[in-house]
Amino acid sequence: MTKIKAIRGMNDILPDQTPVWQYLEATIKRVVSEYGYSEIRMPIVEQTDLFKRSIGEVTDIVEKEMYTFDDRNGESLTLRPEGTACCVRAGEEHGLLYNQTQRLWYTGPMFRYEKPQKGRYRQFHQVGVEAFGMAGPDVDAELILMTAAFWRELGMSDAVTLQLNSLGSNQARAAYRDALVAYLQQHFDQLDEDSQRRLESNPLRVLDSKDEGTRAILEQAPVLTDHLDEESASDFKALCDMLDAAGVRYEVNPYLVRGLDYYCKTVFEWVTDKLGAQGTVCAGGRYDGLVKQLGGKPTPAVGFAMGIERLILLLETLELVPAAARQTFDLYLAAEHKGIQAEVVLLAEQLRRAVPGMRVRVHCAGLKNIATKARQTGAAAIVLVKRVEDDSIQGSLWHHDETEYDVSPEQLIERLRTLFGN
Ligand code: ATP
Ligand code: MG
């Protein structure tokens, strides 16, 4: 019989990898809570229209990347390709956005039908952060400073750089779009096929093109920064000033436009040159129009999302995972001889209660070569348990190449408390 395999581009995260995930997630959770953000959890499936209306019909995501299917009742559903639209939907539905401010974060799997490769998968994970009801630029700065704090905590500040741009108001962008289209039409034949198509449907995305011929044409193209409305320009300057004052370095990149329709004003990306083509680890920006576009009252909003798989790859590449983070248990407990399995299980219970936080794994298989097997587990400490003449039990404790023999359960508790107690 052929064995059933996982879906292409959808990965199992195996037990040797989950400690790294937990380390990254714990670090991120600590930082978002230090910034006063609350967690929200949304379903992974939504009505297809939610994404069509928010991300935009002529974006890559909606045109060709969504996992869309009919529910049994004929309703079109989509596995979420990103979280912002879901977060706005949930916030609106539960009255969290009207006339108030919200600072929210979430994490979970996202789904896009893309060509799987290193750093690009069909099921991938994001941590998203969204702030509602604040027009910026102070909250824009707060979010960017939070992202800088992630990299600092993870020890990767030197490996990532911040790219920054302002897309301006919707009006300013419309005026710029006309200027851009007029210019690009003069060079239509030199553009790549994708860009020719986008010139009609979504001309700003041409700025994002990776095609060399198109990039050459773009060098002479009108620049978005010259078309900013007054408010966007002064907000952008204020944001840059705050980042300067906080010591966060950035590069203004006038070609940075982001692939989703809902952005305006501030947009940013953190990129690394350590992961090849999939170098963007975090991306976001302001989306003041989206809440209204989805049926709510006009509400300023700004947010970002990080790609967890890419951050894990970066942690591994730069060898930034602390050894302690990989240790999944502290003590390995085994019988030294037959006939005392029950005592070992009960001793483990006693130890867990006496030393809160200590992580104990009990050996429940054959006892041949038990000392060697126990060492191979990589445990920080090992206890081999035996029965002595008066029928009580004693242990031998290995820790850091030191061995203590004939230790009573009480002595053991005391020793383990000093080693692993919290
Ligand atoms: P890219 O240009 O790499 O396709 P994107 O602009 O489509 O990225 P966003 O929608 O802004 O990405 O998502 C935010 C982040 O989520 C990205 O910067 C990236 O780190 C991560 N990400 C996006 N798509 C994938 C994917 N298919 N696999 C793994 N991570 C992804
Ligand atoms: Mg993409």
Side-chain angles (χ1 to χ4, degrees), residues 60-61 65 112 114 120 310:
D60 283 354
I61 295 179
E65 296 176 358
R112 296 184 194 176
E114 302 197 68
R120 191 177 294 286
R310 292 184 194 178

Side-chain angles (χ1 to χ4, degrees), residues 126-417:
Q126 286 184 340
V127 168
V129 178
E130 319 284 355
F132 295 98
M134 294 161 278
D138 47 355
V139 69
D140 304 25
E142 171 180 286
L143 284 178
I144 292 175
L145 292 175
M146 184 197 298
T147 54
F150 294 138
W151 322 138
R152 201 163 55 237
E153 291 292 307
L154 294 167
M156 54 168 71
S157 303
D158 291 344
V160 289
T161 56
L162 174 60
Q163 307 239 316
L164 206 57
N165 193 19
S166 175
L167 300 180
S169 66
N170 288 340
Q171 273 172 316
R173 208 160 55 254
Y176 170 70
R177 187 184 300 129
D178 293 344
L180 181 68
V181 170
Y183 169 82
L184 290 176
Q185 251 153 7
Q186 295 167 9
H187 305 274
F188 190 83
D189 294 339
Q190 289 138 283
L191 301 177
D192 64 285
E193 222 174 281
D194 262 352
S195 296
Q196 290 181 341
R197 198 169 44 87
R198 283 187 177 134
L199 193 52
E200 303 232 322
S201 57
N202 198 350
L204 258 64
R205 286 284 278 155
V206 175
L207 296 177
D208 210 23
S209 171
K210 307 278 187 285
D211 180 81
E212 266 180 44
T214 302
R215 293 225 63 86
I217 297 299
L218 283 171
E219 272 172 30
Q220 304 298 321
V223 179
L224 188 55
T225 327
D226 298 335
H227 286 74
L228 288 188
D229 51 296
E230 233 168 77
E231 189 188 69
S232 297
S234 76
D235 280 1
F236 191 60
K237 167 141 196 337
L239 171 63
C240 292
D241 288 346
M242 280 183 269
L243 295 178
D244 289 336
V248 173
R249 295 210 295 197
Y250 54 86
E251 226 171 81
V252 176
N253 174 359
Y255 297 111
L256 181 66
V257 289
R258 311 286 299 109
L260 300 80
D261 275 358
Y262 51 62
Y263 287 108
C264 64
K265 296 175 95 175
T266 307
V267 289
F268 66 94
E269 285 191 2
W270 285 94
V271 294
T272 178
D273 57 8
K274 309 269 188 281
L275 296 180
Q278 272 57 251
T280 305
V281 292
C282 174
R286 186 157 276 285
Y287 50 96
D288 293 341
L290 182 60
V291 177
K292 177 158 180 271
Q293 200 177 309
L294 290 174
K297 290 264 181 326
T299 307
V302 58
F304 65 81
M306 294 183 284
I308 299 301
E309 282 82 356
R310 292 184 194 178
L311 288 173
I312 300 261
L313 281 169
L314 196 51
L315 283 174
E316 299 277 23
T317 306
L318 301 175
E319 299 181 15
L320 292 173
V321 185
R326 295 197 195 264
Q327 191 93 37
T328 55
F329 58 95
D330 303 305
L331 173 66
Y332 198 77
L333 196 66
E336 206 176 310
H337 56 77
K338 280 197 185 131
I340 53 164
Q341 263 310 353
E343 281 92 332
V344 172
V345 169
L346 294 175
L347 177 62
E349 282 300 290
Q350 192 186 351
L351 296 178
R352 290 187 186 104
R353 285 180 203 194
V355 190
M358 180 174 66
R359 300 164 301 176
V360 185
R361 182 179 280 188
V362 175
H363 183 86
C364 292
L367 296 179
K368 208 169 143 199
N369 296 328
I370 184 60
T372 314
K373 277 187 205 157
R375 278 172 196 276
Q376 282 165 352
T377 66
I382 300 165
V383 170
L384 292 189
V385 183
K386 63 178 177 188
R387 183 182 281 125
V388 290
E389 274 119 53
D390 65 355
D391 248 9
S392 65
I393 60 169
Q394 283 186 352
S396 309
L397 170 65
W398 273 267
H399 181 257
H400 278 324
D401 287 334
E402 273 175 44
T403 317
E404 297 168 47
Y405 295 100
D406 308 331
V407 188
S408 72
E410 291 70 30
Q411 290 168 318
L412 197 56
I413 286 171
E414 211 166 294
R415 281 292 287 131
L416 294 172
R417 266 202 189 119

Side-chain angles (χ1 to χ4, degrees), residues 92 95-102 132-134 291 297-300:
E92 262 304 295
L96 305 183
L97 305 186
Y98 181 59
N99 243 350
Q100 55 197 306
T101 64
Q102 290 289 348
F132 295 98
M134 294 161 278
V291 177
K297 290 264 181 326
T299 307

